[in-house]
Amino acid sequence: MSDTDSYEAPRQRMVETVAPRVDDDRVLAALEAVPRHEFVPPGRRDRAYADRPLPIGDGQTISAPHMVAIMADLLEADPGDAVLEIGTGCGYHAAVTAELVGDENVYTVEYSGELAERARDRLANLGYDDVSIRVGDGREGWSRHAPYDAVYFTCAAADVPDSVVEQVQPGGQLLAPIGTGRQTLVDATKRPDGSLDRTKNGGVRFVRMRG
């Protein structure tokens, strides 16, 4: 049995575990397509498909599969949508998003240069060559490729930074864990006047945004 084949059954079980939380079958197909074990440190690959977060180095984690699934489902991104991710981490969530919109439409910002470099190499090796990664402060977003159809955060912020809101087109979507103590997953739509129509989607726990 090849190394890849040995992970197929655990990955399928992972998809079946998170399926009840997901409405969009495309999200389940994306989770099945992305080899999560490639995004975790070699010493933790035996737990790659457990539904739990795992350390990836530099004080960061890869989110639990159910949280990636829930966020991808809430995002409602269509093929061709331009999507900005704040917090690249190991690159796994970006790969899932790339399966939904196309890797050339995914832009992601990572504070840690070390994590960004590893994610860039990993994504390229797995065929997601056109995902664009920038090292920088996520609070600034990435104005060069704006406007975006959607933005999501994989780290918690006190609120959605104004500079990021400005980079989303009217009618576009923002999805972020908000709160400095207790965090809430907020799903917001940008109104024509630039304000946000917010919906709360329950309590979450994410690593705090750095910078």
Side-chain angles (χ1 to χ4, degrees), residues 72-108:
D73 196 42
L74 287 171
L75 203 64
E76 297 182 350
D78 293 318
D81 282 355
V83 179
L84 174 64
E85 175 188 69
I86 305 298
T88 314
C90 62
Y92 175 70
H93 202 144
V96 172
T97 304
E99 289 286 338
L100 298 170
V101 302
D103 55 339
E104 70 278 8
N105 299 307
V106 178
Y107 305 89
T108 178

Side-chain angles (χ1 to χ4, degrees), residues 1-202:
M1 179 182 293
S2 72
D3 181 63
T4 300
D5 291 341
S6 68
Y7 289 105
E8 284 187 4
R11 184 156 67 247
Q12 186 59 46
R13 286 196 296 272
M14 178 196 78
V15 173
E16 292 169 357
T17 297
V18 304
R21 298 171 180 253
V22 174
D23 292 325
D24 189 347
D25 288 342
R26 297 184 311 128
V27 172
L28 299 180
L31 292 174
E32 194 166 354
V34 179
R36 190 173 190 261
H37 62 277
E38 296 283 1
F39 292 88
V40 302
R44 300 184 186 275
R45 288 188 175 176
D46 60 328
R47 286 163 281 175
Y49 294 102
D51 192 16
R52 67 184 67 172
L54 293 171
I56 57 171
D58 205 12
Q60 305 299 301
T61 60
I62 180 173
S63 293
H66 78 269
M67 185 53 58
V68 175
I70 288 170
M71 291 182 69
D73 196 42
L74 287 171
L75 203 64
E76 297 182 350
D78 293 318
D81 282 355
V83 179
L84 174 64
E85 175 188 69
I86 305 298
T88 314
C90 62
Y92 175 70
H93 202 144
V96 172
T97 304
E99 289 286 338
L100 298 170
V101 302
D103 55 339
E104 70 278 8
N105 299 307
V106 178
Y107 305 89
T108 178
V109 181
E110 171 55 50
Y111 186 79
S112 165
E114 179 183 352
L115 286 180
E117 182 177 356
R118 292 208 300 258
R120 186 179 290 114
D121 291 343
R122 188 177 296 112
L123 287 165
N125 289 338
L126 293 171
Y128 302 101
D129 309 65
D130 292 328
V131 170
S132 299
I133 301 176
R134 180 177 81 85
V135 177
D137 187 344
R139 293 174 182 83
E140 299 172 359
W142 196 348
S143 60
R144 176 182 172 187
H145 301 287
Y148 299 99
D149 297 293
V151 176
Y152 66 89
F153 289 65
T154 64
C155 47
D159 202 353
V160 183
D162 289 341
S163 56
V164 175
V165 175
E166 291 170 3
Q167 293 170 27
V168 178
Q169 64 180 355
Q173 187 180 9
L174 297 102
L175 186 63
I178 298 299
T180 54
R182 298 180 65 177
Q183 302 168 10
T184 301
L185 185 60
V186 173
D187 183 3
T189 301
K190 184 176 177 179
R191 300 187 181 103
D193 65 1
S195 64
L196 298 178
D197 181 13
R198 301 173 182 240
T199 302
K200 294 181 178 180
N201 288 276

